[in-house]
Amino acid sequence: MLQFNLKLFKNFPLQGNGFCCTNCSLIIHATPSLLHCHENRTCSPSREFCCLCWSSDAKACPSGEFMCANRKCLATVYVCDGDDDCGDGSDELKCTSPLTCGPNHLRCNTSECVPLMWSCDGDPDCSDSSDEGPERCGGDGAPYLPNRRANCTSGEFRCANGECVRLTWKCDGDPDCKDKSDESDCPLLTCRPDEFQCGDGSCIHGTKQCNKVHDCPDHSDESGCVNATKCEGPLKFLCKNGECIDSSKVCDSVKDCKDRSDEPKKECGLNECMINNGGCSHVCMDRPIGFECQCPTGYRLLDKKTCGDIDECENPDACSQICINYKGDFKCECYEGYEMDPVTKTCKAEGKSPYLLFTNRHEIRRIDLVKRDYSQVVSTQKNAVALDLDVANNRVFWCDRFHRKIYSAFIHEASDPSQQVPLVESSLQTPVGLAVDWLQHNLYWTDSGDKSISVASVDGTKRRVLVSTDLSEPRAIALDPHHGFMYWSDWGTRAKIEKAGMNGVDRQVLVADNIEWPNGITLDVANRRLYWVDSKLHLIASVDLNGAHRRTHMSSAERLGHPYALAVFEDRIYWTDRDKAAVFMANRLTGEDIHALAENLNDPHDIVVFHQLRQPQGVCFVANGGCEYLCLKAPQITEHSPKYTCACPDGQDLGPDMRGCVPGEADDMTATSSPPTEFTPGTGATEGTGGVSQADAIPRLTTAPSGSPEPLTTLSTLKPMSSQESKALGSHSTATTMILSTTPAGDSSVSQHFPIVATVVFGLVCTAVYLVWRNWRRNSTKSMNFDNPVYRKTTGEGEEDEIHIGRTDAMGHHAHHHPYPQVRQIGLLKNSFIPFFCEMSLIFLQ
């Protein structure tokens, strides 16, 4: 830990470190805003300067970095840049004035320096927007806003600054416009007589007041409440009429309860525990009136007398990772790669120290979570928003929403603009979410401009659209390459969080209720949970990867102003807040222990954790899986699910080998496509997803040819299909449609005789099926006839009088153990529709 001693000098000439102490490395002018000048943390303008002195065992920042007065380490590029990057202003104190800008930079009216190429681009980079002012660029000089549009839809409200927000958010007590115009000129909200008005003006039902649940956003419904359970505990006695008296007054021959229930003659002086332990399974405690059954530690009362084991593992806060329940106790363990901290009993990651990377509009910054070093990784960006990592290869990927490009660089070289390689440069409108498949080396991103989710190879040379239907405002995206699923948030008209295979199939909704503005999402790989932040409801919540066991970790408009992105690692949640312009962390189990890691930022957006355990390694496909274009991980729904699928660029389909690509068919020829030959569907799409995976990408699956790199792998096309084709797949006319489509157009004779030929062929097939079935039934059925000597049917004994005890040869000597299923099976075959339909067909043909 860095230590320093602070010495204050009054009316002393500022002539260098020699007048302070021998090992001082910085002299700071005292200002009212600087709170680190002396011990009582109060600073006044009368004090001329103070000396910041380090102790002999202190460690300075790495060479080339600047140390703030509060011991933060900054890259020198942050010093004297017009921004308070230290948080205490010490990086902007000893600066020359006026600030001199380079030849390729513009000097703002606030003395900031911004690149000249950023001026007049519709995006204010100076804090006073002088780089976009009318005196320099002409026009109205209105500030740039991402959600600013010329016209808002009927379901949106147009803010005074041109932004568009949902109409239902107007006058809801929570400002959503940057200028807060959606909460201006709002009528005063009055509540009904049976309602309680919260401190923010909202109304809740009166029964929700003082119910030990915070129903008001400001928790005003639970303030000033009187404890209704004042008679709880062994020192109090509750009379039958509701009075509460001290337990010492019970059975003292003085009637203290008005209904005399404290002096029952038959119960006073009686020790019920002496008789069969009062019926208690464990501990019996005698009371002046009656008795009470109690349980030892680790047990609880199942009823009033019987104790049962407490499953401590039902509490999600019981353990950091793995919880093992025992009778009367439980045990916590950690996953592989983690070790138990002996003090905190939490799981800590082994290996190198984790650190954070986050985007700050014009740059990407880094914070070491152990050493708390603070440095710059990528600089001179225009509007960096989305961010992700390839930990094994030490690479960082990011989206610049202004330039509409996706970039990549090695982390140790990312500060050099010449090493920042653009990967995807075309056909991007508004990229807002980015995720890296670190096993198959593919990039996934969301685009809120064209409402799509796309994938590309890690070098950007191969790409295609995976999802393009029923997306309103797609935002964040996260991947689970080991299981083949991708997750994304959509904060549009119907806000939701969805899940699909990484090849675009098996789409389904995970969260659709109690969700308004889901911005960032992230996966807790170790605990198999998905976390998200809701900027409208001001909360952080999570569900398991099937959408169940929902839990709210934090909910506070004060602590969560406008959370945008989050990351989870070990027992911590990290998130960015655009309103507070800061990066925070908190305990993910309790939601407490909140700390600010970086403040006074420009415009923080995305955030990720860099550590090997965040991206566990696995088996990747050799030689691109034998695919000509893209090799995409398939969702592992069951153990028989295909491992991967091949995909072709937009407009092309897979060839007969299911690996190569051929030109795509016209829309009117899609009916000739064969339906899937092997496909294991998932749970299906939830209502409101725009259809099951067929609506986005219908797979044609087949077994991979022998000798391929993955002989057991199943392949698939990812060609979007029309609604007519999707309906054809589920109708009885599919086979007929396929036969008709192969008939030559000019052969009229074939078309005329086709019904007769089809009928004859169908009849022959049914005849063969019937004969085979009848022969099998005779050979595999053994029968016994039981005659009733008392009653015999006069109409004769036929086949219906037999009781069949069926046994197939394949079952052998085990058949007698399970007779009923065989009897039921034969009965079903005998009464099935197949022989009846075939017999009717024979009659028709005769």
Side-chain angles (χ1 to χ4, degrees):
M1 179 64 70
L2 192 62
Q3 298 179 358
F4 63 92
N5 299 319
L6 207 52
K7 296 183 178 180
L8 185 66
F9 293 82
K10 298 182 181 179
N11 302 321
F12 209 50
L14 185 61
Q15 297 182 1
N17 290 351
F19 291 94
C20 294
C21 55
T22 58
N23 57 346
C24 276
S25 62
L26 180 64
I27 296 179
I28 313 173
H29 287 280
T31 62
S33 62
L34 187 60
L35 303 182
H36 297 275
C37 275
H38 50 91
E39 290 75 10
N40 59 12
R41 293 185 177 270
T42 59
C43 203
S44 64
S46 62
R47 307 193 183 278
E48 294 183 357
F49 68 94
C50 59
C51 295
L52 188 64
C53 305
W54 284 265
S55 60
S56 58
D57 60 341
K59 295 181 180 180
C61 292
S63 60
E65 292 191 2
F66 171 82
M67 175 169 283
C68 307
N70 57 11
R71 296 174 290 172
K72 283 186 179 179
C73 293
L74 292 179
T76 54
V77 69
Y78 296 144
V79 180
C80 298
D81 63 350
D83 291 333
D84 179 13
D85 300 291
C86 287
D88 59 8
S90 57
D91 59 318
E92 301 298 322
L93 289 178
K94 295 182 62 178
C95 301
T96 59
S97 183
L99 188 65
T100 302
C101 299
N104 296 324
H105 285 71
L106 165 72
R107 184 171 180 269
C108 307
N109 293 342
T110 55
S111 299
E112 300 169 88
C113 294
V114 299
L116 188 61
M117 59 178 294
W118 291 357
S119 63
C120 302
D121 61 0
D123 185 0
D125 301 292
C126 297
S127 58
D128 60 353
S129 303
S130 56
D131 60 319
E132 303 295 325
E135 65 280 357
R136 180 175 182 85
C137 309
D140 58 357
Y144 166 81
L145 292 169
N147 295 332
R148 184 177 182 182
R149 298 198 299 268
N151 296 302
C152 299
T153 64
S154 58
E156 293 179 324
F157 168 77
R158 185 173 181 82
C159 308
N161 59 9
E163 286 183 282
C164 296
V165 299
R166 289 191 209 168
L167 187 60
T168 56
W169 293 355
K170 177 176 171 54
C171 295
D172 63 350
D174 185 20
D176 302 291
C177 298
K178 291 294 183 182
D179 58 1
K180 302 182 179 181
S181 57
D182 58 317
E183 298 302 320
S184 62
D185 300 327
C186 295
L188 294 176
L189 188 64
T190 57
C191 300
R192 299 195 307 265
D194 61 338
E195 292 181 328
F196 172 79
Q197 187 168 16
C198 305
D200 62 350
S202 59
C203 301
I204 63 172
H205 198 273
T207 56
K208 294 183 177 181
Q209 184 183 7
C210 297
N211 62 350
K212 296 184 179 181
V213 178
H214 295 295
D215 300 289
C216 291
D218 58 355
H219 300 173
S220 58
D221 57 317
E222 298 300 320
S223 61
C225 295
V226 180
N227 187 5
T229 58
K230 57 183 179 180
C231 271
E232 288 184 349
L235 300 180
K236 295 292 183 179
F237 176 78
L238 181 64
C239 305
K240 292 183 179 180
N241 62 356
E243 292 181 87
C244 187
I245 64 174
D246 292 336
S247 58
S248 59
K249 297 181 178 180
V250 178
C251 292
D252 60 352
S253 301
V254 178
K255 295 179 174 52
D256 298 286
C257 295
K258 294 182 179 179
D259 60 358
R260 301 182 180 182
S261 58
D262 61 321
E263 300 294 333
K265 294 181 180 180
K266 294 183 179 181
E267 297 182 43
C268 288
L270 176 65
N271 188 350
E272 294 87 351
C273 295
M274 298 297 295
I275 304 174
N276 193 27
N277 199 40
C280 299
S281 63
H282 286 74
V283 181
C284 180
M285 294 294 295
D286 184 48
R287 301 297 182 194
I289 297 178
F291 65 99
E292 180 183 0
C293 294
Q294 296 181 352
C295 299
T297 304
Y299 291 84
R300 63 181 175 183
L301 283 172
L302 301 179
D303 49 35
K304 292 184 178 182
K305 295 185 177 182
T306 307
C307 295
D309 175 52
I310 297 177
D311 187 357
E312 292 87 353
C313 295
E314 291 181 351
N315 179 11
D317 298 340
C319 290
S320 177
Q321 289 184 354
I322 302 174
C323 181
I324 302 175
N325 183 57
Y326 297 106
K327 284 190 175 181
D329 198 4
F330 71 102
K331 180 182 178 182
C332 294
E333 293 184 353
C334 299
Y335 294 112
E336 183 179 358
Y338 295 83
E339 59 183 359
M340 185 75 69
D341 188 301
V343 178
T344 62
K345 302 299 180 182
T346 59
C347 296
K348 297 295 183 181
E350 299 175 350
K352 296 182 179 180
S353 301
Y355 63 83
L356 294 175
L357 289 180
F358 66 93
T359 59
N360 191 32
R361 190 176 180 80
H362 298 322
E363 58 194 348
I364 298 175
R365 297 187 180 186
R366 165 178 169 167
I367 304 176
D368 191 294
L369 295 176
V370 177
K371 301 176 183 178
R372 298 297 172 91
D373 292 340
Y374 191 36
S375 59
Q376 184 186 58
V377 176
V378 180
S379 61
T380 325
Q381 297 301 299
K382 190 67 183 90
N383 193 6
V385 287
L387 174 71
D388 205 4
L389 299 166
D390 184 350
V391 175
N393 294 304
N394 204 36
R395 293 182 67 184
V396 58
F397 300 80
W398 70 95
C399 294
D400 192 302
R401 186 160 56 187
F402 180 81
H403 292 303
R404 300 179 182 179
K405 295 180 181 180
I406 298 177
Y407 297 87
S408 175
F410 290 101
I411 294 179
H412 62 281
E413 301 175 347
S415 59
D416 184 358
S418 64
Q419 299 299 319
Q420 301 170 7
V421 181
L423 301 178
V424 183
E425 304 183 69
S426 61
S427 302
L428 292 180
Q429 293 190 25
T430 312
V432 291
L434 181 66
V436 176
D437 177 0
W438 63 89
L439 292 185
Q440 276 57 253
H441 305 294
N442 292 320
L443 293 175
Y444 290 74
W445 70 89
T446 59
D447 194 315
S448 62
D450 61 6
K451 320 295 184 186
S452 67
I453 298 175
S454 302
V455 62
S457 56
V458 76
D459 58 3
T461 58
K462 305 171 184 178
R463 59 185 287 188
R464 73 164 292 127
V465 176
L466 288 180
V467 181
S468 60
T469 60
D470 196 34
L471 292 175
S472 179
E473 292 290 344
R475 234 291 289 150
I477 184 169
L479 300 179
D480 181 6
H482 287 276
H483 298 85
F485 285 99
M486 63 179 178
Y487 305 80
W488 69 90
S489 61
D490 190 328
W491 61 272
T493 306
R494 290 181 298 169
K496 56 186 178 292
I497 297 176
E498 295 189 76
K499 167 186 178 181
M502 289 172 60
N503 57 1
V505 305
D506 193 44
R507 181 179 178 182
Q508 53 189 295
V509 173
L510 287 186
V511 183
D513 298 326
N514 299 321
I515 188 170
E516 290 284 341
W517 197 342
N519 263 329
I521 65 171
T522 191
L523 295 180
D524 183 352
V525 179
N527 294 292
R528 309 291 299 157
R529 291 188 69 82
L530 180 142
Y531 288 73
W532 76 93
V533 290
D534 195 310
S535 301
K536 177 62 181 175
L537 300 179
H538 309 287
L539 59 82
I540 298 176
S542 70
V543 292
D544 64 25
L545 298 187
N546 293 318
H549 301 100
R550 180 169 177 168
R551 182 186 179 195
T552 299
H553 300 267
M554 293 179 62
S555 178
S556 171
E558 179 181 355
R559 296 180 174 181
L560 300 170
H562 188 95
Y564 188 82
L566 80 164
V568 175
F569 189 65
E570 295 176 339
D571 287 342
R572 295 287 180 180
I573 303 176
Y574 307 92
W575 73 93
T576 58
D577 195 308
R578 297 184 64 188
D579 277 355
K580 299 180 181 296
V583 175
F584 296 94
M585 75 173 182
N587 187 294
R588 71 172 175 86
L589 300 176
T590 63
E592 302 296 331
D593 194 22
I594 301 175
H595 296 287
L597 297 177
E599 298 179 285
N600 304 303
L601 301 175
N602 194 352
D603 191 10
H605 276 73
D606 211 354
I607 186 171
V608 293
V609 173
F610 186 101
H611 194 276
Q612 289 80 0
L613 294 178
R614 282 286 298 155
Q615 296 181 350
Q617 294 302 304
V619 179
C620 56
F621 304 127
V622 181
N624 200 40
C627 300
E628 176 186 339
Y629 198 67
L630 283 172
C631 178
L632 305 179
K633 179 72 173 181
Q636 303 304 288
I637 303 171
T638 68
E639 59 181 4
H640 304 294
S641 297
K643 301 301 181 184
Y644 69 94
T645 62
C646 291
C648 293
D650 297 327
Q652 295 188 27
D653 297 331
L654 287 179
D657 63 350
M658 308 304 289
R659 295 174 183 266
C661 297
V662 297
E665 300 174 354
D667 293 339
D668 57 350
M669 297 296 292
T670 55
T672 63
S673 302
S674 61
T677 56
E678 296 179 17
F679 179 58
T680 304
T683 56
T686 307
E687 182 180 358
T689 64
V692 195
S693 57
Q694 292 176 350
D696 298 315
I698 296 295
R700 295 198 296 268
L701 304 178
T702 183
T703 305
S706 61
S708 62
E710 297 287 340
L712 298 179
T713 299
T714 307
L715 305 178
S716 161
T717 63
L718 289 173
K719 176 190 172 190
M721 301 180 68
S722 62
S723 59
Q724 292 83 359
E725 185 176 5
S726 299
K727 294 177 181 178
L729 289 174
S731 65
H732 295 290
S733 61
T734 303
T736 306
T737 304
M738 294 172 62
I739 296 174
L740 287 172
S741 65
T742 58
T743 304
D747 195 348
S748 60
S749 61
V750 175
S751 302
Q752 293 174 358
H753 295 86
F754 176 79
I756 299 176
V757 174
T759 304
V760 173
V761 171
F762 183 77
L764 292 175
V765 171
C766 288
T767 302
V769 172
Y770 174 75
L771 293 176
V772 171
W773 170 80
R774 187 173 63 178
N775 182 64
W776 172 84
R777 186 175 68 87
R778 288 177 178 177
N779 294 334
S780 61
T781 304
K782 299 182 182 298
S783 61
M784 297 178 61
N785 296 336
F786 296 91
D787 291 339
N788 190 337
V790 180
Y791 174 76
R792 187 184 301 272
K793 293 179 63 176
T794 58
T795 58
E797 297 178 357
E799 199 174 52
E800 296 298 324
D801 295 324
E802 298 175 359
I803 300 177
H804 300 283
I805 305 177
R807 178 175 62 87
T808 62
D809 295 335
M811 303 180 72
H813 62 281
H814 296 290
H816 65 279
H817 293 297
H818 306 284
Y820 297 108
Q822 283 101 49
V823 173
R824 188 181 299 110
Q825 182 181 11
I826 293 175
L828 287 173
L829 287 171
K830 182 176 179 180
N831 297 309
S832 66
F833 182 73
I834 295 176
F836 172 77
F837 186 80
C838 290
E839 289 175 359
M840 295 302 296
S841 299
L842 288 174
I843 296 173
F844 175 77
L845 291 175
Q846 292 173 358

